[in-house]
């Protein structure tokens, strides 16, 4: 009887220790896995919907109107605030104009542009100054070369203000020392100078160029945003 009782106690102890080991291993496994779960949570939290990006940025995106010497409108383009009273756009949007004005994509009031602060014809970028102030958009300081990554373009194609389109970065193209972002997000005349966003809501490019023809699909290009930051320094 004593031997039997001792064996039962030993079996209970071994079972308890074995169970404790399994439970401990599960806890350790869970603890090891938790940082990975947390990382995924952070990554998911950073990604915003297209609707959210539009609603958060629409107050800082504008339609730019160029006028000739007689006061006649000659072209329209897009732009966006990068500082309190500074608007970024393409140089070709303002080239040849005698007067420049703008209005918000959801604003009927037309505002004056004080002056062209700086521009680069080779980069096709310009920074304009106005007496009004808006919240600046967040500009990515690095080349966004993640081919396949989702992007969102907001602009004013054919004067249709606040048009939103989605696409991906389909290529990073180099011409001499210059780099273009190729995107499947549709771009049309009037979209030039508008922001191209990543899923975090950062501006990664300035929509600039579309190449197309009757025998091919349109090819859309944007100028990397870090060049805009360099121009503004």
């Amino acid at each position: 009887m004593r031997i039997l009782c001792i064996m039962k106690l030993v079996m209970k102890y071994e079972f308890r220790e074995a169970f404790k080991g399994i439970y401990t291993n599960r806890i350790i496994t869970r603890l090891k896995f938790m940082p990975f779960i947390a990382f995924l949570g952070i990554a998911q939290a950073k990604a915003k919907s297209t609707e959210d990006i539009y609603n958060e940025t629409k107050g800082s995106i504008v339609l730019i109107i160029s006028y000739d010497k007689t006061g006649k409108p000659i072209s329209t383009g897009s732009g966006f605030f990068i500082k309190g009273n500074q608007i970024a756009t393409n140089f070709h949007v303002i080239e040849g104009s005698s007067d420049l004005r703008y209005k918000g994509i959801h604003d009927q009031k037309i505002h004056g542009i004080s002056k062209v602060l700086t521009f680069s014809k080779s980069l096709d970028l310009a920074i304009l100054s106005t007496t009004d102030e808006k919240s600046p958009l967040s500009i990515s300081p690095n080349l966004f070369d993640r081919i396949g990554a989702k992007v969102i373009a907001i602009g004013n194609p054919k004067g249709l203000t606040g048009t939103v389109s989605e696409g991906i970065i389909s290529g990073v193209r180099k011409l001499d020392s210059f780099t273009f972002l190729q995107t499947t997000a549709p771009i049309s005349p009037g979209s030039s100078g508008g922001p191209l966003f990543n899923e975090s809501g950062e501006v990664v490019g300035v929509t600039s160029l579309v190449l197309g023809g009757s025998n091919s699909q349109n090819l859309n290009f944007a100028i990397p945003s870090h060049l805009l930051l360099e121009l503004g320094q």
Side-chain angles (χ1 to χ4, degrees):
M1 288 292 292
R2 285 184 179 178
I3 293 172
L4 184 61
C5 289
I6 290 170
M7 287 180 65
K8 285 182 178 180
L9 287 172
V10 169
M11 288 175 67
K12 282 183 179 181
Y13 177 80
E14 288 179 346
F15 177 78
R16 188 185 302 122
E17 288 303 303
F19 180 78
K20 189 189 295 183
I22 293 169
Y23 185 70
T24 303
N25 286 337
R26 284 180 177 175
I27 292 175
I28 292 171
T29 302
R30 285 178 182 175
L31 287 173
K32 285 180 179 178
F33 193 62
M34 280 178 67
F36 179 67
I37 294 174
F39 173 77
L40 286 178
I42 292 170
Q44 289 174 354
K46 284 186 176 180
K48 299 178 180 179
S49 69
T50 299
E51 182 181 6
D52 286 341
I53 290 172
Y54 174 75
N55 287 327
E56 290 173 8
T57 64
K58 64 184 180 182
S60 302
I61 303 171
V62 303
L63 170 75
I64 295 175
I65 311 165
S66 298
Y67 297 83
D68 64 15
K69 292 179 181 179
T70 66
K72 180 182 177 181
I74 53 176
S75 66
T76 61
S78 303
F80 55 95
F81 279 86
I82 57 170
K83 287 185 180 179
N85 67 334
Q86 294 181 15
I87 297 173
T89 188
N90 285 135
F91 175 75
H92 76 259
V93 169
I94 65 168
E95 187 176 16
S97 62
S98 296
D99 186 26
L100 294 166
R101 299 174 195 175
Y102 81 93
K103 74 181 192 73
I105 58 175
H106 286 292
D107 183 9
Q108 295 304 313
K109 184 179 179 181
I110 296 178
H111 307 264
I113 288 175
S114 306
K115 62 179 178 179
V116 178
L117 285 177
T118 184
F119 68 87
S120 171
K121 192 170 184 178
S122 61
L123 296 178
D124 193 24
L125 293 173
I127 298 176
L128 316 176
S129 176
T130 177
T131 56
D132 303 292
E133 292 193 6
K134 299 288 184 181
S135 298
L137 299 183
S138 176
I139 312 296
S140 174
N142 304 310
L143 176 64
F144 190 71
D145 56 358
R146 291 173 47 207
I147 295 176
K150 179 182 174 181
V151 287
I152 300 101
I154 304 178
N156 310 298
K158 303 292 186 180
L160 298 174
T161 54
T163 298
V164 184
S165 58
E166 293 181 342
I168 61 169
I169 296 294
S170 53
V172 178
R173 309 299 177 191
K174 290 190 176 181
L175 179 62
D176 297 326
S177 60
F178 191 72
T179 301
F180 287 95
L181 300 179
Q182 184 180 341
T183 176
T184 60
I187 299 172
S188 301
S191 298
S192 294
L196 184 71
F197 298 96
N198 62 15
E199 283 190 293
S200 298
E202 291 181 312
V203 177
V204 297
V206 182
T207 55
S208 303
L209 177 67
V210 56
L211 299 176
S214 58
N215 297 322
S216 66
Q217 66 177 11
N218 287 346
L219 302 174
N220 311 294
F221 297 91
I223 297 168
S225 59
H226 70 277
L227 296 175
L228 185 61
L229 294 176
E230 293 174 11
L231 180 64
Q233 289 178 352

